[in-house]
Amino acid sequence: SSDLLQRMIPHLGDVVRLARGAGEILREAFGKPRSVTHKGAIDLVTEADLAVESYLLDIVRREWPEDRVFAEEAGLLPGNNSEVCWYIDPLDGTTNFAHQLPQFSVSIAFADAEGLRLAAVYDPMRDEIFSAERGRGAFLNDLRIRVSGATTLLESLLVTGFPYDRGTNPDNNLNYFNHLVPKCQGIRRLGSAALDLVYVAAGRVDAFWELRLQPWDAAAGTLIAREAGALVTRMDGQPDVLRPPCSILAANPALHTILLAEISAAPKIETRTTGNSSPA
């Protein structure tokens, strides 16, 4: 029975294997028009998204049939083992993919009763796999990665994104963006939150913030960034980043403190204050 128990617990190698397999599907589909479709490039994405997600769900359901899964297209799939959960984003960077811009990823995380435990974010176009296991550090391919040592905003390259409802919801991140632009070395907007988080982990960018992400966008990157020495919190400094809507700030501890202060100093947005409307 201990053999059965061992088999029922995924290992980091399993998560990496899933991410690589999923990435191969995306790499194959990238830039290829579908002769069957008449709806333009966006349909290709929907197909790729669904193909990758069903590929991943099939494996998880077969190998870990008791586990809960939280996936972008399927939503929350219940399981008998309520202490664990998989977070699956089959294609993070859908808009980039649709426009044949090669900046997107597959993001997979596994959480147990103590929180996030295993994570892999795979960029199939660069063949870069970022991974982490709780307490064991973060890696890019087989090399250990660490956050940057930046301690001032002026030497920092930041990365962010804008929520999908930015046209209708005034809380659209432009206030923070405009506040921070003159104070830092630059701000990038790359289009895949999972890659943004692991780029913080690898020291390619110094900090990341974004409003209203989904748990599947943020889970794997959060563990990888934390294991690389980043402080990853909500934008108000609270630790429970996977409680939707996930508004996230990730940076090394020194920079995180500075950014928390800047975020609270940024001009506030007038939003509806009625209790019954929550952000999408």
Side-chain angles (χ1 to χ4, degrees):
S1 73
S2 75
D3 180 47
L4 179 68
L5 194 64
Q6 273 305 303
R7 210 167 62 241
M8 297 311 287
I9 300 169
H11 299 284
L12 186 56
D14 296 314
V15 180
V16 166
R17 165 173 58 96
L18 263 61
R20 281 193 173 279
E24 210 162 299
I25 298 171
L26 291 178
R27 197 166 47 235
E28 280 295 296
F30 182 71
K32 285 190 184 157
R34 295 294 163 96
S35 51
V36 205
T37 184
H38 301 285
K39 293 184 184 173
I42 207 80
D43 239 6
L44 167 71
V45 173
T46 314
E47 283 178 35
D49 245 307
L50 295 171
V52 172
E53 186 163 303
S54 75
Y55 164 84
L56 291 171
L57 290 179
D58 285 351
I59 297 174
V60 172
R61 280 281 175 256
R62 185 171 68 245
E63 297 188 25
W64 301 279
E66 304 290 300
D67 295 2
R68 290 187 309 151
V69 182
F70 202 7
E72 178 164 24
E73 306 302 331
L76 185 58
L77 305 172
N80 293 332
N81 186 354
S82 60
E83 288 208 321
V84 305
C85 187
W86 292 79
Y87 294 93
I88 292 175
D89 191 342
L91 173 51
D92 188 51
T94 297
T95 306
N96 285 351
F97 187 92
H99 286 265
Q100 300 186 21
L101 185 63
Q103 175 81 5
F104 53 86
S105 60
V106 180
S107 174
I108 303 171
F110 175 80
D112 59 19
E114 293 165 52
L116 292 166
R117 181 176 161 195
L118 305 169
V121 172
Y122 184 48
D123 174 348
M125 305 309 283
R126 292 185 188 88
D127 193 27
E128 290 188 333
I129 186 113
F130 298 83
S131 65
E133 181 167 356
R134 185 174 61 226
R136 300 210 170 162
F139 294 84
L140 163 52
N141 296 342
D142 294 320
L143 297 175
R144 187 76 181 259
I145 52 176
R146 297 284 308 164
V147 291
S148 85
T151 54
T152 66
L153 265 182
L154 213 50
E155 66 182 314
S156 297
L157 182 62
L158 314 182
V159 67
T160 190
F162 295 90
Y164 280 119
D165 61 358
R166 58 186 174 265
T168 53
N169 189 333
D171 186 18
N172 59 12
N173 191 25
L174 281 170
N175 60 321
Y176 302 118
F177 187 88
N178 291 337
H179 180 74
L180 288 166
V181 159
K183 296 172 183 277
C184 67
Q185 206 171 79
I187 301 181
R188 300 290 177 258
R189 192 265 186 272
L190 302 174
S192 166
L195 286 178
D196 293 344
L197 277 161
V198 298
Y199 283 9
V200 171
R204 291 176 177 178
V205 294
D206 301 294
F208 164 71
W209 87 93
E210 190 164 346
L211 307 178
R212 296 195 297 286
L213 290 165
Q214 296 292 346
W216 54 78
D217 296 315
T222 292
L223 179 62
I224 293 165
R226 283 176 174 164
E227 286 294 322
L231 201 49
V232 186
T233 66
R234 300 183 79 81
M235 279 175 63
D236 60 3
Q238 296 299 307
D240 55 335
V241 290
L242 295 188
R243 175 171 55 82
C246 312
S247 293
I248 290 185
L249 173 62
N252 71 48
L255 206 52
H256 190 281
T257 305
I258 293 168
L259 280 163
L260 265 186
E262 290 295 346
I263 281 166
S264 60
K268 289 291 162 277
I269 298 291
E270 295 302 314
T271 53
R272 299 179 301 273
T273 49
T274 52
N276 56 10
S277 63
S278 64

